[in-house]
């Protein structure tokens, strides 16, 4: 973790932790770092979600980039993975996304993709942080070396949705699907995508007003979608988060399939087609133990990474695997994309569902998760990385593990928010909840 960059870029409440001044400095620093790597004028694509602050931050970033002599192309409102895809396709030097993903509207963030479509290396992030702290010492472009905002010579929505639609043979006709766009970036793309795939889609929460992104909707608030699917007789429901890099599924009975279960059934299908490299996929240390049991039953291996899609991707690249992801719905299909993509995940899952001839609830029943609970404890940012190692917390974990029996307790800091997460999993639901509450209370007593 760096001074500015967390596990998923730079995040904060706008005009408190992340303001236009910092965005300007980030733009200058990124453009200068890119200029050190090449001998041509850099081109940077910028996409954003629907937050009220995204326009302000884009303007500041653009000013900083141009002042360091790089050019900008603005993609407008577009999902995060679309920026990665278009950065590669149009041979840009970098792609920047202005988004805070699933967080409330008052938050925003800046995340950066290299020209390869992958997130920046730790080394390059560290160098950019150094430039941010010494931004006044960086050279400024003058005269004809000042960067420009270039006219957009592509249709980002058409190009991105064409690419997604081409990842499957045939279409998704015959499926009746409820879609929740979280009033976020997928509001700009979902209707176009599903029309191209000839799918009967009823789309909700696609009218962003700058302040309603993720508000009681999207992948972090599934209640409305569950009700819609049950009462409307839909085959399945699909929910995205604010920047559409994650996807969760609601089956025909209203039960939620998290990223673990989506990955599991997609991995089994890939194995059946002899496409699952190494008969393995990557999950995280938080992956449900029921997922591991399902994988063993299907003759697959699970390799676990630290929490964060960048760490999942590292394991995938290291071992040559093509599928990996997190419970939260960040799923990476490396055959098609360099990062988690909610709409790609939806397309892959829905195609598998259609071809199976089964109901979504039948597929969901194949992966039986163990009882698991996550309690988020709000803590001062300065303390969140050390609390898990405190003796009081370690003693509480040891005590509760004895009561829990078969299962586990994990205490870890959030990479993007001032939270410590207490995750408990086991075979007895009552013991799981009691253990989580007990450990969380000890943490609260310390702060």
């Amino acid at each position: 973790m760096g001074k500015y960059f967390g596990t998923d870029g730079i995040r904060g409440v706008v005009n408190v932790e992340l303001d236009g001044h910092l965005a300007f400095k980030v733009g200058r620093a990124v453009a200068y770092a890119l200029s050190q790597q090449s001998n041509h004028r850099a081109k940077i694509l910028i996409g954003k979600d629907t937050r009220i602050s995204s326009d302000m931050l884009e303007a500041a970033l653009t000013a900083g980039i141009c002042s360091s002599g790089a050019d900008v192309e603005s993609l407008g409102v577009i999902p995060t993975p679309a920026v990665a895809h278009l950065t590669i396709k149009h041979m840009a030097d970098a792609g920047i996304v202005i988004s805070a993903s699933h967080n409330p509207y008052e938050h925003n963030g800046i995340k950066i993709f290299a020209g390869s479509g992958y997130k920046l290396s730790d080394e390059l992030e560290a160098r950019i942080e150094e430039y941010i702290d010494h931004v006044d010492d960086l050279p400024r472009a003058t005269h004809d070396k000042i960067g420009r905002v270039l006219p957009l010579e592509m249709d980002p929505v058409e190009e991105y949705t064409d690419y997604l639609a081409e990842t499957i043979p045939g279409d998704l006709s015959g499926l009746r699907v409820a879609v929740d766009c979280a009033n976020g970036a997928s509001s700009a793309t979902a209707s176009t995508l599903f029309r191209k795939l000839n799918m009967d889609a009823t789309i909700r929460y696609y009218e962003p007003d700058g302040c309603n992104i993720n508000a009681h909707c999207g992948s972090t608030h599934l209640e409305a979608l569950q009700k819609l699917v049950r009462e409307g007789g839909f085959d399945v429901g699909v929910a995205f988060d604010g920047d559409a890099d994650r996807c969760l599924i609601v089956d025909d009975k209203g039960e939620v399939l998290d990223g673990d279960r989506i990955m599991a059934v997609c991995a089994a299908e890939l194995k059946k087609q002899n496409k699952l490299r190494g008969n393995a996929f990557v999950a995280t240390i938080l992956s449900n133990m029921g997922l591991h049991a399902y994988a063993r039953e299907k003759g697959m291996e699970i390799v676990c990474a630290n929490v964060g899609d960048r760490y999942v991707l590292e394991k995938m690249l290291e071992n040559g695997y093509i599928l990996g992801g997190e419970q939260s719905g960040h799923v990476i299909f490396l055959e098609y994309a360099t990062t988690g993509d909610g709409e790609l995940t939806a397309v892959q899952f829905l195609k598998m569902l259609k071809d199976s001839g089964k109901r979504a609830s039948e597929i969901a029943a194949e992966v039986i998760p163990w009882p698991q609970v996550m309690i988020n404890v709000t803590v001062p940012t300065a303390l969140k990385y050390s609390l898990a190692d405190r003796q009081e917390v370690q003693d509480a974990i040891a005590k509760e593990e004895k009561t829990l029996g078969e299962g586990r307790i994990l205490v870890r800091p959030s990479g993007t928010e001032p939270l410590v997460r207490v995750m408990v999993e086991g075979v007895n639901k009552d013991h799981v909840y009691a253990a989580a509450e007990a450990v969380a209370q000890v943490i609260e007593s310390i702060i």
Side-chain angles (χ1 to χ4, degrees):
M1 303 290 289
K3 179 177 179 180
Y4 299 106
F5 286 94
T7 56
D8 199 20
I10 299 169
R11 292 272 185 97
V13 175
V14 177
N15 283 340
V16 178
E17 295 138 326
L18 174 58
D19 60 12
H21 184 53
L22 177 54
F24 175 81
K25 292 196 291 184
V26 171
R28 285 206 66 199
V30 169
Y32 180 71
L34 293 175
S35 74
Q36 300 300 103
Q37 295 181 334
S38 66
N39 56 7
H40 66 269
R41 181 190 289 254
K43 180 177 74 174
I44 299 174
L45 306 185
I46 299 181
K48 59 189 174 184
D49 71 16
T50 57
R51 293 164 208 273
I52 193 171
S53 60
S54 291
D55 293 343
M56 177 190 79
L57 294 175
E58 181 183 24
L61 267 170
T62 299
I65 291 167
C66 292
S67 74
S68 284
D71 292 334
V72 169
E73 286 188 27
S74 176
L75 302 175
V77 172
I78 198 87
T80 286
V83 176
H85 171 72
L86 294 170
T87 296
I88 300 168
K89 181 177 180 182
H90 291 274
M91 294 182 290
D93 295 274
I96 298 179
V97 182
I98 302 167
S99 175
S101 189
H102 62 285
N103 287 0
Y105 83 94
E106 63 270 19
H107 295 250
N108 217 326
I110 300 170
K111 48 186 156 186
I112 307 166
F113 293 103
S116 62
Y118 293 114
K119 291 179 181 177
L120 300 183
S121 66
D122 291 340
E123 294 76 19
L124 185 52
E125 283 187 353
R127 197 182 319 148
I128 290 171
E129 289 190 335
E130 181 73 14
Y131 293 153
I132 291 171
D133 282 338
H134 299 90
V135 74
D136 290 336
D137 298 330
L138 301 181
R140 299 172 188 267
T142 63
H143 297 78
D144 63 340
K145 297 295 190 281
I146 293 172
R148 299 173 181 269
V149 178
L150 302 175
L152 197 60
E153 296 181 351
M154 61 170 134
D155 185 326
V157 171
E158 285 297 318
E159 290 195 13
Y160 175 59
T161 54
D162 279 346
Y163 137 76
L164 291 176
E166 290 166 2
T167 63
I168 60 169
D171 60 25
L172 297 175
S173 58
L175 289 179
R176 186 163 175 264
V177 182
V179 180
D180 180 343
C181 290
N183 290 316
S186 62
S187 302
T189 54
S191 62
T192 301
L193 171 62
F194 293 130
R195 184 175 66 250
K196 288 178 178 180
L197 289 169
N198 198 27
M199 190 178 81
D200 181 2
T202 296
I203 300 178
R204 295 288 184 268
Y205 301 106
Y206 62 99
E207 298 177 304
D209 63 9
C211 300
N212 62 359
I213 186 171
N214 300 316
H216 308 294
C217 58
S219 62
T220 51
H221 301 282
L222 292 167
E223 298 80 11
L225 181 63
Q226 290 174 284
K227 182 179 179 183
L228 177 62
V229 170
R230 283 195 301 263
E231 295 181 357
F234 289 91
D235 294 312
V236 69
V238 173
F240 305 115
D241 65 336
D243 67 336
D245 67 350
R246 67 172 74 180
C247 166
L248 294 182
I249 302 292
V250 173
D251 72 18
D252 50 289
K253 294 182 178 180
E255 183 175 345
V256 176
L257 277 72
D258 64 12
D260 273 358
R261 297 171 82 183
I262 293 169
M263 262 199 306
V265 295
C266 287
E269 180 61 24
L270 287 169
K271 184 175 186 295
K272 191 185 303 181
Q273 298 173 15
N274 293 317
K275 291 183 178 179
L276 189 67
R277 292 182 197 162
N279 283 331
F281 60 99
V282 179
T284 75
I285 56 174
L286 294 184
S287 62
N288 193 282
M289 296 175 81
L291 174 70
H292 290 260
Y294 174 83
R296 285 193 298 271
E297 178 188 327
K298 295 292 184 179
M300 301 183 295
E301 179 187 356
I302 296 177
V303 175
C304 286
N306 288 329
V307 177
D309 59 342
R310 68 184 302 151
Y311 303 117
V312 170
L313 180 60
E314 284 176 7
K315 287 284 187 185
M316 293 173 70
L317 294 172
E318 179 184 319
N319 296 284
Y321 301 138
I322 63 167
L323 180 66
E326 303 181 279
Q327 276 186 335
S328 61
H330 283 121
V331 180
I332 303 171
F333 289 86
L334 202 53
E335 183 180 358
Y336 305 112
T338 56
T339 190
D341 188 327
E343 288 174 291
L344 175 61
T345 299
V347 169
Q348 297 300 312
F349 178 88
L350 292 171
K351 178 61 174 172
M352 181 271 300
L353 176 64
K354 178 184 175 181
D355 291 348
S356 74
K358 298 179 181 179
R359 301 191 67 80
S361 54
E362 294 179 76
I363 290 175
E366 295 176 8
V367 187
I368 304 172
W370 284 23
Q372 185 183 84
V373 64
M374 178 91 72
I375 296 179
N376 294 321
V377 183
T378 302
V379 301
T381 299
L383 289 179
K384 72 176 183 176
Y385 296 107
S386 61
L387 277 169
D389 296 325
R390 292 280 292 265
Q391 191 61 50
E392 307 97 302
V393 177
Q394 288 295 311
D395 289 345
I397 291 172
K399 177 183 177 183
E400 296 304 323
E401 281 180 337
K402 290 179 181 177
T403 305
L404 193 61
E406 192 174 2
R408 58 179 179 149
I409 300 174
L410 287 176
V411 177
R412 65 176 189 87
S414 165
T416 58
E417 299 173 87
L419 302 171
V420 166
R421 306 191 194 279
V422 179
M423 191 280 284
V424 182
E425 188 174 46
V427 293
N428 184 297
K429 183 178 179 180
D430 291 338
H431 291 170
V432 165
Y433 276 83
E437 290 284 355
V439 174
Q441 286 173 9
V442 169
I443 294 172
E444 289 170 347
S445 71
I446 294 172
I447 59 173

Coordinates of all heavy atoms in Angstrom, one line a residue, residues 31 57 122 229 277 302 341 401 438:
A31 N 1.5 11.7 -16.6 CA 1.9 12.1 -17.9 C 3.5 12.2 -17.9 O 4.1 11.8 -18.9 CB 1.3 13.5 -18.3
L57 N -13.3 16.2 -11.4 CA -12.0 15.5 -11.3 C -11.4 15.2 -12.7 O -10.2 15.3 -12.9 CB -12.1 14.2 -10.6 CG -12.5 14.3 -9.1 CD1 -12.8 12.9 -8.5 CD2 -11.4 15.0 -8.3
D122 N 3.5 -2.0 -9.0 CA 3.8 -1.4 -7.8 C 5.0 -0.4 -7.9 O 5.0 0.7 -7.3 CB 4.2 -2.4 -6.7 CG 3.0 -3.3 -6.3 OD1 1.9 -2.8 -6.5 OD2 3.2 -4.3 -5.7
V229 N -37.1 -10.2 -9.4 CA -37.0 -11.5 -10.1 C -38.1 -12.5 -9.6 O -38.7 -13.2 -10.4 CB -35.6 -12.1 -9.8 CG1 -35.5 -13.5 -10.3 CG2 -34.5 -11.3 -10.5
R277 N -7.4 -24.1 -18.1 CA -6.0 -24.4 -18.1 C -5.5 -24.9 -16.7 O -5.9 -24.3 -15.7 CB -5.2 -23.2 -18.5 CG -5.3 -22.8 -19.9 CD -4.4 -21.6 -20.2 NE -4.9 -21.0 -21.5 CZ -4.5 -19.7 -21.8 NH1 -3.8 -19.0 -21.0 NH2 -4.9 -19.2 -23.0
I302 N -8.2 -25.0 -6.6 CA -8.3 -23.6 -6.4 C -7.0 -23.1 -5.8 O -6.5 -23.6 -4.8 CB -9.5 -23.3 -5.4 CG1 -10.8 -23.7 -6.0 CG2 -9.5 -21.8 -5.1 CD1 -12.0 -23.5 -5.0
D341 N -14.6 -7.7 -15.2 CA -15.6 -7.1 -16.1 C -17.0 -7.6 -15.8 O -17.3 -8.8 -16.1 CB -15.2 -7.3 -17.6 CG -16.1 -6.5 -18.5 OD1 -17.3 -6.3 -18.2 OD2 -15.6 -6.1 -19.6
E401 N -12.2 -19.5 18.0 CA -11.9 -20.7 17.1 C -12.2 -22.0 17.8 O -12.6 -23.0 17.2 CB -10.5 -20.6 16.6 CG -10.3 -19.6 15.4 CD -8.9 -19.5 14.9 OE1 -7.9 -19.9 15.7 OE2 -8.7 -19.1 13.7
A438 N -18.3 -11.4 18.6 CA -17.3 -11.4 19.7 C -16.0 -10.7 19.3 O -15.5 -9.8 20.0 CB -17.1 -12.8 20.3

